[in-house]
């Protein structure tokens, strides 16, 4: 008897993977410009000029995909807006979870107050990602489209773009670990593919959300 | 080879624009349609095929007009911002004091364009390569004057070893200062000391030149702080997850996984 509850709608899963795949492609093609020794690797896609163009094409698709995910009355879009509102609302209970996060990260456990649909650690990750994505997108379009020449706008876009790319990559490494390698938290992985997560796992990690919403969707 | 210097004495310049023609002839650069910009100026800015042009500013004083004329080209900074900005290590310095671009390595990203305090480099859209004054490196390293200096009739462009030209430039400023206290050198203490140094007869802004050209702070932040710190953050994150896997393993959390997963599929609740 494998009991599961419904966590992510198709729309949320679409935006997550749109973001993830685009991020990796943009990172790979961006590193060809940032790291000189990495430039030969760009031959996989046909050389540095080709990857510079891929960076731009993927950037546009990435931006449109993100925006589309939030627009409209569909379940997915409503859930995306709910996620946004949830994660920017950071309370004491979230802080209490985030404080214990280091222990969980290394495989220990210390009780934390019941969490909503997104726990304190996830909220922090989400907020960094929202801020970083906004900054990298805006600076990226400036680097691409601003009139060429020595302007402050262009000059400041460079360090911002690079900082977002590198620090979000550091964050992504920890995110991949928790989703794939971490023996406990990786049970969430199924959720972002199929939408369903193990029931007791959901209860233990998001007690408030489980009792208020998820319980009703239980199957199996 | 000794460090070279080019001294441009604006008090001798007649604004004839022969330098810009000579530059095109020697460097095989196609002519471009000119237009009247203001006063006698016919080229607005550098282009991939225009590496030097004369800027004209009219100054009125006591009912008299004076042209502030300036032959512009790359300054060949000793500590060039373009080189620091370059994504591809395509820009390098020669022992003789010139800043050159290796077209093989250049990818046309334009980072140099945005960071040169004088807006010198331009990207040739057709070839995707940066293009600017080479200082006539082929000539100067064979001991011949650069084309623009060679052609200058009134002798406003002096070329030679820095040790020889600098005292001449200083003597000329001292001479002019007797009648014009505003006369001064521009470039000798900018950007680490430029290879092209000007004698100006008024404040730099009267010539449309920046007063304090410097390496942008954003460029230092980007290359000296963001890049290394970002690399450290990625390394630290990778190290943390490696430790995470090891600690989880030692604690037996992986061995326990079947049990964890089985139990987690129970119904939630106490
Ligand atoms: C969505 C909008 C984005 C746009 C419009 C954009 C645009 C650009 C542009 C124009 C450049 C300059 C290099 C060139 O001319 O080829 C660049 C560099 C770069 N991009 Fe993006 N980009 C975007 C998103 C991203 C994302 C999400 C990442 C990260 C993973 C990324 C990583 C990089 C990196 C690492 C560089 C090199 C930076 C450096 O040299 O310091 N970009 N981007
Ligand atoms: S003037 Fe500009 S292009 Fe020339 S060396 Fe200096 S920074 Fe580079
Ligand atoms: S355009 Fe060429 S020379 Fe200029 S920064 Fe980019 S790679 Fe370097
Ligand atoms: S030094 Fe040579 S390349 Fe530079 S402006 Fe003079 S003629 Fe042109």
């Amino acid at each position: 008897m494998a009991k599961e509850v419904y966590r992510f709608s198709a729309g949320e899963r679409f935006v997550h993977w749109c973001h993830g795949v685009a991020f990796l492609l943009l990172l790979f093609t961006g590193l060809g410009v940032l790291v000189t020794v990495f430039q030969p690797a760009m031959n996989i896609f046909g050389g540095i000029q080709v990857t510079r163009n891929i960076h731009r094409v993927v950037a546009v698709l990435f931006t449109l995909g993100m925006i589309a995910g939030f627009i409209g009355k569909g379940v997915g879009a409503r859930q995306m807006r709910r996620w946004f509102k949830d994660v920017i609302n950071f309370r004491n209970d979230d802080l209490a979870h985030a404080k214990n996060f280091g222990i969980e990260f290394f495989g220990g456990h210390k009780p934390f107050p019941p969490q909503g649909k997104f726990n304190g650690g996830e909220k922090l990750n989400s907020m960094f990602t929202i801020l970083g994505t906004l900054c990298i997108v805006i600076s990226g379009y400036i680097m691409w489209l601003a009139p060429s020449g020595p302007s402050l706008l262009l000059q400041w876009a460079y360090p911002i773009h690079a900082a977002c790319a590198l620090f979000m990559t550091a964050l992504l490494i920890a995110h991949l670990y928790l989703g794939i390698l971490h023996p406990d938290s990786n049970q969430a992985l199924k959720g972002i593919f199929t939408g369903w997560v193990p029931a007791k796992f959901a209860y233990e990690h998001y007690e408030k959300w489980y009792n208020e919403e998820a319980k009703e969707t239980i199957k199996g | 080879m000794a460090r070279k210097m080019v001294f441009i004495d604006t008090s001798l310049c007649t604004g004839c624009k022969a330098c810009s023609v000579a530059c095109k002839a020697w460097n095989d650069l196609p002519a471009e349609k000119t237009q009247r910009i203001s006063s006698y100026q016919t080229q607005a800015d550098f282009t991939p095929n225009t590496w030097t042009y004369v800027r004209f500013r009219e100054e009125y004083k006591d009912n008299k007009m004076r042209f502030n004329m300036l032959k512009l080209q790359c300054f060949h900074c000793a500590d060039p911002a373009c080189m620091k900005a370059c994504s591809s290590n395509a820009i390098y310095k020669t022992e003789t004091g010139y800043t050159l671009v290796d077209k093989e390595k250049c990818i046309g990203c334009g980072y140099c364009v945005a960071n040169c305090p004088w807006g010198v480099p331009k990207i040739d859209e057709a070839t995707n390569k940066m293009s600017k004054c080479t200082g006539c490196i082929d000539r100067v390293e064979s001991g011949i004057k650069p084309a623009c200096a060679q052609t200058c009739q009134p002798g406003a462009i002096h070329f030679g070893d820095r040790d020889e030209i600098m005292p001449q430039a200083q003597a000329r400023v001292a001479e002019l200062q007797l009648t014009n206290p505003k006369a001064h050198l521009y470039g000798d203490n900018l950007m680490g000391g430029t290879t092209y140094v000007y004698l100006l007869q008024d404040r730099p802004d009267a010539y449309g030149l920046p007063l304090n050209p410097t390496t942008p702070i954003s460029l230092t932040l980007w290359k000296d702080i963001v890049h290394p710190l970002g690399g450290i953050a990625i390394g630290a994150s990778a190290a943390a997850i490696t430790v995470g896997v090891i600690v989880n393993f030692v604690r037996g959390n992986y061995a326990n996984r079947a049990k964890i997963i089985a139990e987690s599929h129970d119904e939630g609740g106490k």
Side-chain angles (χ1 to χ4, degrees):
Chain A
M1 265 216 319
K3 291 203 183 326
E4 291 184 335
V5 291
Y6 195 56
R7 182 154 171 83
F8 293 124
S9 63
E12 284 165 285
R13 284 176 272 145
F14 169 79
V15 174
H16 177 269
W17 289 114
C18 181
H19 185 95
V21 172
F23 187 90
L24 288 176
L25 280 171
L26 287 162
L27 179 63
F28 182 79
T29 52
L31 285 182
V33 176
L34 194 151
V35 191
T36 316
V37 294
F38 203 62
Q39 237 176 62
M42 297 302 113
N43 290 331
I44 300 172
F45 288 128
I48 184 76
Q49 295 307 341
V50 180
T51 55
R52 288 182 64 216
N53 286 328
I54 294 177
H55 196 81
R56 286 156 174 77
V57 173
V58 176
V60 172
L61 295 177
F62 171 68
T63 322
L64 294 178
M66 294 297 101
I67 295 171
F70 284 89
I71 293 179
K73 292 203 175 88
V75 185
R78 266 188 286 132
Q79 292 293 83
M80 284 308 299
R81 294 195 289 265
R82 179 230 166 128
W83 163 76
F84 185 86
K85 271 189 224 140
D86 264 13
V87 299
I88 60 171
N89 183 7
F90 196 82
R91 298 290 174 89
N92 280 340
D93 285 354
D94 300 312
L95 185 66
H97 176 272
K99 276 187 182 156
N100 283 354
F101 174 71
I103 299 165
E104 298 267 337
F105 189 91
F106 294 109
H109 182 71
K110 206 175 152 195
F112 47 80
Q115 301 287 300
K117 183 171 180 188
F118 301 100
N119 64 38
E122 285 170 334
K123 284 187 177 185
L124 285 179
N125 179 43
S126 296
M127 283 193 281
F128 281 125
T129 305
I130 292 165
L131 187 69
T133 301
L134 275 177
C135 293
I136 207 166
V137 167
I138 294 168
S139 60
Y141 284 108
I142 291 172
M143 286 155 71
W144 180 5
L145 302 169
S148 126
S151 68
L152 279 177
L153 186 71
L154 204 43
Q155 287 170 358
W156 281 94
Y158 295 128
I160 292 172
H161 201 74
C164 293
L166 297 175
F167 287 104
M168 282 205 285
T169 301
L171 201 62
L172 172 67
I173 292 172
H175 179 70
L176 289 175
Y177 162 76
L178 290 168
I180 300 169
L181 291 174
H182 191 281
D184 180 36
S185 80
N186 89 336
Q187 297 182 75
L189 191 59
K190 232 188 125 203
I192 205 66
F193 282 108
T194 66
W196 295 86
V197 294
K200 184 126 189 260
F201 164 81
Y203 171 77
E204 279 167 357
H205 289 77
Y206 316 97
E207 191 177 327
K208 240 167 80 186
W209 172 68
Y210 185 88
N211 288 332
E212 286 166 14
E213 299 169 60
K215 207 156 65 179
E216 285 154 31
T217 67
I218 200 156
K219 68 162 190 189
Chain B
M1 217 186 275
R3 195 167 164 211
K4 303 294 179 192
M5 174 170 158
V6 178
F7 170 49
I8 299 176
D9 184 344
T10 60
S11 70
L12 297 178
C13 175
T14 61
C16 72
K17 305 176 188 172
C19 49
S20 55
V21 177
C23 177
K24 287 200 181 258
W26 177 257
N27 293 296
D28 225 354
L29 300 168
E32 286 165 319
K33 184 114 188 67
T34 54
Q35 59 187 122
R36 191 175 159 271
I37 308 300
S38 70
S39 188
Y40 272 81
Q41 189 171 333
T42 49
Q43 280 148 314
D45 193 4
F46 299 104
T47 75
N49 292 318
T50 297
W51 296 348
T52 185
Y53 67 98
V54 185
R55 187 189 282 162
F56 290 75
R57 290 278 194 281
E58 291 174 12
E59 199 170 287
Y60 295 88
K61 212 168 131 196
D62 306 329
N63 271 338
K64 275 207 321 239
M65 191 274 275
R66 187 181 75 201
F67 279 125
N68 284 334
M69 291 173 297
L70 198 67
K71 172 218 182 285
L72 286 150
Q73 74 297 303
C74 173
F75 281 72
H76 295 278
C77 311
D79 186 9
C82 60
M83 184 165 97
K84 190 178 181 73
C86 181
S87 64
S88 306
N89 292 333
I91 300 177
Y92 62 98
K93 288 296 299 178
T94 66
E95 219 182 288
T96 42
Y98 291 89
T99 309
L100 301 179
V101 53
D102 179 341
K103 302 248 171 167
E104 290 287 307
K105 289 187 181 170
C106 173
I107 64 166
C109 66
Y111 290 180
C112 53
V113 179
N115 284 285
C116 165
W118 290 287
V120 170
K122 297 288 171 191
I123 305 294
D124 185 338
E125 301 290 341
T127 57
N128 245 329
K129 303 285 171 190
M130 182 266 258
S131 178
K132 70 166 189 70
C133 157
T134 63
C136 286
I137 192 73
D138 45 352
R139 296 171 65 103
V140 298
E141 294 206 334
S142 316
I144 315 173
K145 289 178 186 177
C148 51
Q150 178 80 48
T151 212
C152 182
Q153 286 305 310
I157 311 174
H158 303 263
F159 165 79
D161 287 351
R162 195 176 186 81
D163 296 344
E164 277 169 39
I165 302 289
M166 191 55 98
Q168 290 176 23
Q170 281 156 348
R172 177 69 183 152
V173 172
E175 189 185 334
L176 276 186
Q177 274 179 341
L178 298 175
T179 51
N180 175 9
K182 283 182 178 168
H184 70 284
L185 291 183
Y186 182 84
D188 55 331
N189 51 12
L190 300 173
M191 305 296 286
T194 56
T195 293
Y196 279 69
V197 176
Y198 289 87
L199 184 161
L200 301 182
Q201 305 167 80
D202 202 340
R203 286 161 49 93
D205 43 350
Y207 291 83
L209 288 170
L211 294 176
N212 287 309
T214 49
T215 298
I217 315 168
S218 54
L219 176 57
T220 308
L221 175 73
W222 177 23
K223 298 283 174 162
D224 296 343
I225 298 175
V226 167
H227 278 185
L229 217 60
I232 291 170
I234 289 173
S237 187
I241 74 163
T242 310
V243 174
V245 168
I246 295 171
V247 173
N248 268 302
F249 185 81
V250 173
R251 286 182 158 167
N253 292 345
Y254 287 106
N256 244 342
R257 269 195 45 86
K259 194 165 153 258
I260 296 177
I261 290 177
E263 282 176 1
S264 71
H265 281 86
D266 289 347
E267 205 165 323
K270 303 251 152 74

